[in-house]
Amino acid sequence: MSKLSIGIVGLPNVGKSTLFNALLGKKVADASNYPFCTIDPNVGVVEVPDDKLPILGEIVKTQKIVPAIVEFVDIAGLVKGASTGEGLGNKFLTNIRDCDAIMHVVRNFSDDNIIREGSVDPQGDFEVICAELIIKDLESIDKYLTGFKNNPIENKTKKFTFAVFLKQSLERGELAINLNLDNDQKILLKEFSLLTAKPYFIVANVDESTYQNILSAQLSVIGYHTVVPVCAKTEFELSELNIDDQQNYLKELGVEKSGLERIIQKAYETLGLQSYYTAGVKETRAWTIHKGDTAPQAAGVIHTDFERGFIMAEIISFTDFVAKNGWEGAKTAGLLRHEGKQYIMHPDDVVEFRFNV
């Protein structure tokens, strides 16, 4: 995939825009203290933190390092009734459809200076947003069922039967992504483009005072998904420091990785993604693919012609590449592998593709 797109959703004043600004490392969204301050969805592209790229670049003496990227979309705060147009809801629910995953931001901090617009607790915040997504999906399903209820042929198809099942599940408060579906049903699910079918994870915006010691287990009431605890205010302060000062600040906090790193790691995990590398003098680059992708599919991320004309992939693991100081050293040591069309890509493979144009 060329880029990963994540929609940031949550109730007003849970810290979404502050977190968005921190992730981008600059102030681009209006983080004012009132509901609906974000009228148009802010979109920002962030480089994926990757400590392997500079190492590869140094070995091959590259001219250019290109990291993988993530697109964050800051969607205006939703409120109860958003699915029926309350607040600024309907417009922003539509923006979510274009994202690969949803990042729910819930409030787990106390601040008398911040208006608690609709926010009660992490569990309550999450349930309100999910309810709005469910209502919007029910509207889509009902529209389909109404259009075909008098069609004796269509209402006997697998799609119609599945739509009835989806309607019943949504009415019980179940998210489509959490349903236990077989392969045929998963294919049918994609045809409905439901908001609740989007993979998701949860970020809990916590107090500065609890940031160092917070455990995701404390927030497990939200559901089965691991919660990523982040202090948006601290992350924004971090974003204004240079890299060395950021590392020192993180050490003082007793935190190994920044919120951005942990959020992207969780996004990759949620969507089943991994990276591989190309390393050359002109360019050293990280590419994002799905776990289980074959070598031709991975080549197709670079260019569709690479997938169509795929011949083979020359592959070295990152560890071997570093240990043998690059392509020639690994090849001399017998660590360069020639893989065909059936090869399943491993995380951190360093690759050169051979193909016919």
Side-chain angles (χ1 to χ4, degrees), residues 28 62 85 123 135 195 202 205 271 276 281 290 298 301 309 341 346:
V28 291
T62 194
Q123 176 74 32
I135 292 170
L195 300 176
I202 302 164
N205 188 11
L271 287 165
Y276 77 87
V281 175
H290 290 92
V301 173
K341 294 182 178 181
H346 294 170

Side-chain angles (χ1 to χ4, degrees), residues 97 133-149 154 158-171 174-176 179 181 185 188-197:
R97 295 192 193 279
L133 300 182
I134 286 172
I135 292 170
K136 193 67 178 176
D137 281 351
L138 279 170
E139 180 183 303
S140 299
I141 294 294
D142 283 338
K143 185 177 181 179
Y144 165 78
L145 291 174
T146 300
F148 288 103
K149 67 179 181 180
E154 178 67 20
K158 287 184 178 180
K159 183 175 181 180
F160 191 91
T161 301
F162 182 62
V164 173
F165 166 76
L166 283 176
K167 177 178 171 65
Q168 294 170 343
S169 300
L170 291 168
E171 288 175 339
E174 298 178 67
L175 303 180
L179 297 175
L181 306 178
Q185 290 174 321
L188 288 173
L189 180 62
K190 291 180 181 180
E191 295 185 25
F192 289 100
S193 300
L194 300 183
L195 300 176
T196 60

Side-chain angles (χ1 to χ4, degrees), residues 306-345:
F306 285 25
E307 182 173 3
R308 284 196 295 265
F310 179 89
I311 299 173
M312 69 174 181
E314 295 183 338
I315 297 178
I316 304 170
S317 71
F318 171 82
T319 302
D320 289 340
F321 195 92
V322 173
K324 299 303 177 181
N325 201 36
W327 291 105
E328 288 304 317
K331 184 177 180 180
T332 301
L335 297 172
L336 176 64
R337 309 191 312 272
H338 295 87
E339 303 290 357
K341 294 182 178 181
Q342 303 305 314
Y343 176 74
I344 303 298
M345 297 292 291

Side-chain angles (χ1 to χ4, degrees), residues 36 59 82 101 149 176 187 198-199 203 250 256 264 293 309 321:
F36 315 125
I59 291 173
K149 67 179 181 180
I187 293 173
K198 296 280 185 185
V203 169
L250 287 172
E256 292 183 4
I264 291 178
D293 276 358
F321 195 92

Side-chain angles (χ1 to χ4, degrees), residues 5-8 71 73 75 95-102 198:
S5 180
I6 300 173
I8 308 174
E71 180 182 86
V73 183
I75 297 168
N95 295 135
I96 299 171
R97 295 192 193 279
D98 297 327
C99 298
D100 297 304
I102 297 173
K198 296 280 185 185

Side-chain angles (χ1 to χ4, degrees), residues 53-289:
L53 271 174
I55 297 173
L56 292 173
E58 178 63 28
I59 291 173
V60 299
K61 307 302 179 187
T62 194
Q63 297 172 13
K64 184 180 180 181
I65 290 179
V66 183
I69 58 172
V70 173
E71 180 182 86
F72 286 100
V73 183
D74 179 27
I75 297 168
L78 301 177
V79 294
K80 187 174 183 179
S83 56
T84 56
E86 188 69 26
L88 301 174
N90 247 324
K91 176 181 177 182
F92 305 108
L93 285 167
T94 302
N95 295 135
I96 299 171
R97 295 192 193 279
D98 297 327
C99 298
D100 297 304
I102 297 173
M103 184 174 93
H104 289 268
V105 179
V106 297
R107 176 171 174 159
N108 200 52
F109 66 91
S110 300
D111 188 337
D112 294 336
N113 295 318
I114 302 294
I115 301 170
R116 187 181 277 275
E117 180 70 27
S119 177
V120 179
D121 54 62
Q123 176 74 32
D125 289 4
F126 180 65
E127 290 176 353
V128 167
I129 299 302
C130 286
E132 295 307 313
L133 300 182
I134 286 172
I135 292 170
K136 193 67 178 176
D137 281 351
L138 279 170
E139 180 183 303
S140 299
I141 294 294
D142 283 338
K143 185 177 181 179
Y144 165 78
L145 291 174
T146 300
F148 288 103
K149 67 179 181 180
N150 295 323
N151 185 323
I153 297 177
E154 178 67 20
N155 62 29
K156 291 181 181 179
T157 64
K158 287 184 178 180
K159 183 175 181 180
F160 191 91
T161 301
F162 182 62
V164 173
F165 166 76
L166 283 176
K167 177 178 171 65
Q168 294 170 343
S169 300
L170 291 168
E171 288 175 339
R172 290 194 297 268
E174 298 178 67
L175 303 180
I177 189 67
N178 293 336
L179 297 175
N180 185 20
L181 306 178
D182 59 34
N183 289 333
D184 289 342
Q185 290 174 321
K186 288 177 182 178
I187 293 173
L188 288 173
L189 180 62
K190 291 180 181 180
E191 295 185 25
F192 289 100
S193 300
L194 300 183
L195 300 176
T196 60
K198 296 280 185 185
Y200 70 90
F201 60 99
I202 302 164
V203 169
N205 188 11
V206 301
D207 292 301
E208 291 176 279
S209 59
T210 60
Y211 187 48
Q212 298 179 44
N213 303 311
I214 192 75
L215 297 175
S216 60
Q218 293 176 267
L219 300 163
S220 61
V221 290
I222 291 176
Y224 298 105
H225 289 248
T226 302
V227 178
V228 182
V230 170
C231 178
K233 187 176 180 182
T234 296
E235 291 298 322
F236 187 70
E237 292 170 355
L238 270 171
S239 71
E240 297 184 309
L241 303 176
N242 62 44
I243 294 177
D244 290 338
D245 288 340
Q246 284 183 18
Q247 294 300 320
N248 291 332
Y249 192 10
L250 287 172
K251 287 180 181 178
E252 289 177 13
L253 293 173
V255 180
E256 292 183 4
K257 296 181 178 179
S258 69
L260 172 61
E261 290 175 287
R262 288 182 285 114
I263 286 171
I264 291 178
Q265 182 180 14
K266 187 59 184 176
Y268 269 55
E269 177 187 321
T270 301
L271 287 165
L273 302 177
Q274 64 187 35
S275 295
Y276 77 87
Y277 302 97
T278 51
V281 175
K282 289 186 177 181
E283 180 183 278
T284 297
R285 183 165 183 163
W287 303 89
T288 302
I289 59 173

